[in-house]
Amino acid sequence: MNNGLDDVVAAETTLSDVDGAAGRLLIRGRSLDELAGAVRYEDVLELLFSGFFIGLPNADHLALALGEARAQVFSRLPAAAAFLNLPVTEAVRALIAQIADGDDLAAALRLIAAPAVFAPAIIRMKRGDAPVVPDPASTHAADVLRMLHGETVAPDWAAALDAYFVTVSDHGLNASTFAARVVASTHAGLTSAVLAAISALKGPLHGGAPGPVLDMLDEIGRPEAAEAWLEAALDKGDRLMGFGHRVYRVRDPRADALKQAARRLAKSTRSGAGRFALAESIEAAALAILARRKPNRPLKTNVEFYTALLLEALGFPRDSFTSVFAMGRSSGWIAHAKEQALTGRLIRPQSRYVGPLPERAA
Ligand code: ACO
């Protein structure tokens, strides 16, 4: 019995390959190092969706169709009023649950548009600000930031969010993608698959780590305090958020891509350089301590550490980080759901019963 299904191959995919020993991520045959910062999220959508939707347009037309989907999804916002007492990601999930299941490209684009429109609107509504209507002609990343801040942001901000979306767009059979594939294997439809995935993503062992990363930075406060704080946390049995990975044994290539994006952004934001320097010194202290304490288990910086810095610098509140992750990863979830439904089998593993047995009749 393999409790965490470590190393179990449960799907064949043409979508992405996570090579943990080499620290390499391939998306449809192209390495992340080549894609991040070089192509738009809309280009990755075309890559991931190709072969799964009849009449898939090219990336430019896909960008326009996605913009129209944002405008359509915006009309569903009145329902948000009922969910403003929930954390942002749970409110986003509740709104997505109201979208009917479907399997075609229109259904897929609605589900990619949904977190991108709902999260900025909910953040604003919680603060008492009016939601901002999407601009269908904008790129996805620039529009998300415009809807969040109420004005067009600087191009380097939009480029940083675009690089983030590309970086997290797909990542093999991670927990949320597996959840999406399990649901898709029953042919339940794309909304159901995406809802399962968001629910899995939200946990701190998966996509919920960046908020706690910032809490850690705040508690440590200054580089000199890092070592004592980190040692004390590990002595208590806590895990250091933003470190370790089930598959990567060397670098997580996404952490490198996002560190570069966060560094670029830090230069253009007030207080950004100091925050970035603090993060870098805490990262170095954590890596040294983890290497000393767990010599047999390489524990490196994962995607969530610099995600936290990047999304904070872009002005997202902590309880919305998982929704921003979902904006990028929804492309991968949907492609995997389509792949599973088209080529896979109903996923139905076995459990071994270890509970009580009925007493034998005398
Ligand atoms: N801090 C301290 N120790 C750790 C950490 C960590 N972040 N991660 C793993 N370890 C230790 C474990 O305590 C264990 O030690 P032991 O053998 O002495 O008991 C050893 O490393 C192996 O741990 P596993 O539980 O087998 O590792 P697993 O593959 O299940 O964990 C995970 C992967 C969940 C990501 C883990 O590293 C972790 O909890 N990290 C912190 C949370 C985090 O950053 N999550 C985001 C992950 S990225 C993503 O999903 C998008």
Side-chain angles (χ1 to χ4, degrees):
M1 209 270 294
N2 182 341
N3 212 354
L5 303 183
D6 310 37
D7 301 323
V8 171
V9 175
E12 283 196 331
T13 183
T14 60
L15 292 164
S16 60
D17 180 42
V18 181
D19 184 336
R24 189 199 61 186
L25 168 61
L26 289 185
I27 296 178
R28 291 236 137 164
R30 298 175 63 181
S31 91
L32 176 67
D33 301 341
E34 180 197 330
L35 293 172
V39 303
R40 293 167 301 175
Y41 182 58
E42 287 83 347
D43 298 303
V44 171
L45 264 193
E46 186 191 357
L47 266 185
L48 288 171
F49 280 8
S50 135
F52 296 121
F53 294 99
I54 296 161
L56 183 75
N58 68 24
D60 289 338
H61 287 103
L62 211 45
L64 288 174
L66 181 57
E68 280 157 23
R70 287 195 300 275
Q72 281 171 18
V73 163
F74 187 81
S75 67
R76 295 171 175 269
L77 260 188
F83 305 120
L84 293 182
N85 58 336
L86 294 175
V88 175
T89 300
E90 290 176 34
V92 167
R93 182 178 62 180
L95 282 176
I96 293 176
Q98 306 198 341
I99 298 176
D101 261 316
D103 282 307
D104 61 5
L105 182 61
L109 292 178
R110 261 197 303 280
L111 288 166
I112 295 196
V117 169
F118 294 153
I122 289 165
I123 292 165
R124 290 180 67 86
M125 289 163 84
K126 275 171 163 280
R127 289 179 188 151
D129 295 333
V132 174
V133 182
D135 171 10
S138 169
T139 65
H140 200 56
D143 208 21
V144 168
L145 289 171
R146 200 185 57 81
M147 288 187 279
L148 177 66
H149 293 295
E151 58 187 14
T152 301
V153 298
D156 60 336
W157 281 41
L161 187 62
D162 211 3
Y164 172 74
F165 286 163
V166 169
T167 300
V168 302
S169 58
D170 196 36
H171 200 241
L173 206 55
N174 58 84
S176 56
T177 301
F178 185 48
R181 285 191 81 123
V182 169
V183 172
S185 84
T186 72
H187 293 195
L190 291 176
T191 300
S192 300
V194 165
L195 282 172
I198 288 186
S199 301
L201 186 71
K202 166 176 175 284
L205 298 192
H206 189 14
V213 166
L214 291 185
D215 297 340
M216 173 175 74
L217 259 59
D218 289 347
E219 281 178 37
I220 294 177
R222 55 202 172 86
E224 313 79 68
E227 200 174 326
W229 191 97
L230 295 166
E231 295 278 12
L234 290 169
D235 285 346
K236 272 192 290 171
D238 291 350
R239 290 183 173 212
L240 304 182
M241 292 292 128
F243 296 91
H245 196 269
R246 176 63 62 82
V247 182
Y248 290 121
R249 289 294 170 270
V250 289
R251 66 180 197 133
D252 178 342
R254 302 168 303 168
D256 287 353
L258 295 181
K259 185 172 184 175
Q260 284 174 29
R263 181 185 280 121
R264 279 195 297 271
L265 203 59
K267 289 184 184 144
S268 68
T269 48
R270 207 161 29 98
S271 80
R275 188 77 161 155
F276 187 83
L278 173 67
E280 246 189 334
S281 62
I282 291 172
E283 180 191 20
L287 290 174
I289 292 169
L290 288 170
R292 179 166 40 76
R293 285 190 174 231
K294 307 273 176 193
N296 301 321
R297 168 75 181 212
L299 294 167
K300 307 292 182 195
T301 317
N302 66 42
V303 62
E304 301 290 57
F305 191 79
Y306 284 102
T307 289
L309 271 260
L310 191 79
L311 299 188
E312 178 185 53
L314 291 174
F316 290 99
R318 287 173 202 195
D319 72 342
S320 73
F321 286 177
T322 309
S323 307
V324 189
F325 196 156
M327 293 176 201
R329 182 57 62 80
S330 48
S331 53
W333 292 333
I334 289 166
H336 275 272
K338 291 295 285 187
E339 186 174 53
Q340 182 68 36
L342 286 170
T343 60
R345 200 168 140 74
L346 172 72
I347 297 175
R348 202 303 184 193
Q350 290 272 25
S351 50
R352 184 191 303 142
Y353 181 67
V354 293
L357 295 171
E359 286 191 13
R360 279 244 197 93

